[in-house]
Amino acid sequence: RKEVEQDPGPFNVPEGATVAFNCTYSNSASQSFFWYRQDCRKEPKLLMSVYSSGNEDGRFTAQLNRASQYISLLIRDSKLSDSATYLCAVKYGDDKIIFGKGTRLHILP
Amino acid sequence: GAGVSQTPSNKVTEKGKYVELRCDPISGHTALYWYRQSLGQGPEFLIYFQGTGAADDSGLPNDRFFAVRPEGSVSTLKIQRTERGDSAVYLCASSLSARNEQFFGPGTRLTVL
């Protein structure tokens, strides 16, 4: 079983719709959780950290469920510019980040 | 300010050759990470430096891969006897300390023919 698993998609969503991604992780010792955004042929960029209480940044909401070991990302009122690959990531302590394969999102006009 | 830079941006080599990939982290960042990303995959951890020393090299796939960071700033990833399976984008990231956000460079796209 992969340490971090995501549905690769693609998700084809009309502009203005709400879309949600889930991600599961296998190591219960994971301590930090993130969503990264990666545009085609570009480097990953941190979208948001994910906290136990859930957190929101504008149209983006992230949730963590430690008991079920999954992380979610919700995008409301999606824009064409949201089209990208979204990478789920977990970190143990101060060390490396383990990434999922990413979920591709296409926002359709 | 300047972000993480990597050179070269593209490298094409022949099977069996030796390559060096360079990473210039953000000034003052003590932690430096190398990842490898193959097509359709997420970045895969290779090695992590804290200062000059490799704190975790558990991701290096075999002894053909080696990395150094002699002065605690610039790092070089070295690959000996390259194989076609080494073809990927090699990403470098740095952070102020290991607990802080990692900032990624644009990557070096390595193609082994």
Side-chain angles (χ1 to χ4, degrees):
Chain A
R1 184 184 171 190
K2 293 279 188 186
E3 289 193 66
V4 179
E5 295 204 63
Q6 299 180 247
D7 181 344
F11 284 56
N12 297 307
V13 174
E15 192 175 8
T18 295
V19 60
F21 310 134
N22 284 337
C23 159
T24 58
Y25 61 95
S26 60
N27 191 330
S28 58
S30 301
Q31 296 178 321
S32 306
F33 307 89
F34 311 92
W35 284 102
Y36 279 77
R37 173 192 168 125
Q38 187 171 28
D39 292 293
C40 189
R41 300 180 79 87
K42 298 287 189 181
E43 71 272 23
K45 293 187 177 176
L46 182 65
L47 179 65
M48 57 198 304
S49 300
V50 187
Y51 303 114
S52 297
S53 55
N55 48 299
E56 188 173 307
D57 183 0
R59 297 181 293 107
F60 298 83
T61 300
Q63 298 274 357
L64 167 64
N65 185 318
R66 285 188 184 270
S68 301
Q69 295 183 202
Y70 81 78
I71 308 155
S72 65
L73 178 67
L74 183 79
I75 306 175
R76 290 182 300 278
D77 186 25
S78 53
K79 312 289 184 192
L80 294 175
S81 58
D82 294 333
S83 296
T85 295
Y86 291 83
L87 296 161
C88 174
V90 303
K91 192 177 180 189
Y92 318 123
D94 294 344
D95 211 296
K96 56 187 177 275
I97 294 178
I98 307 296
F99 288 90
K101 286 186 175 184
T103 298
R104 285 180 296 144
L105 173 65
H106 299 310
I107 304 300
L108 307 172
Chain B
V4 178
S5 63
Q6 293 186 245
T7 53
S9 54
N10 281 283
K11 176 70 177 178
V12 180
T13 191
E14 293 179 343
K15 181 174 179 295
K17 299 289 189 184
Y18 168 82
V19 296
E20 289 190 352
L21 312 179
R22 176 186 167 111
C23 172
D24 280 84
I26 293 171
S27 178
H29 280 197
T30 62
L32 185 146
Y33 306 79
W34 283 99
Y35 294 85
R36 175 169 73 173
Q37 187 171 24
S38 301
L39 195 62
Q41 304 293 317
E44 173 192 7
F45 170 79
L46 296 176
I47 186 169
Y48 151 53
F49 287 90
Q50 181 57 52
T52 60
D56 183 349
D57 64 358
S58 62
L60 295 177
N62 52 59
D63 62 5
R64 295 187 297 106
F65 289 75
F66 189 70
V68 295
R69 195 185 184 201
E71 297 177 359
S73 178
V74 171
S75 177
T76 305
L77 178 66
K78 308 180 181 195
I79 311 174
Q80 297 177 318
R81 303 184 305 281
T82 51
E83 299 178 356
R84 292 195 180 89
D86 298 335
S87 297
V89 176
Y90 288 81
L91 293 162
C92 176
S94 73
S95 60
L96 193 59
S97 74
R99 290 184 178 272
N100 295 100
E101 177 185 350
Q102 293 181 23
F103 294 87
F104 283 81
T108 293
R109 184 173 300 275
L110 176 66
T111 304
V112 182
L113 301 177

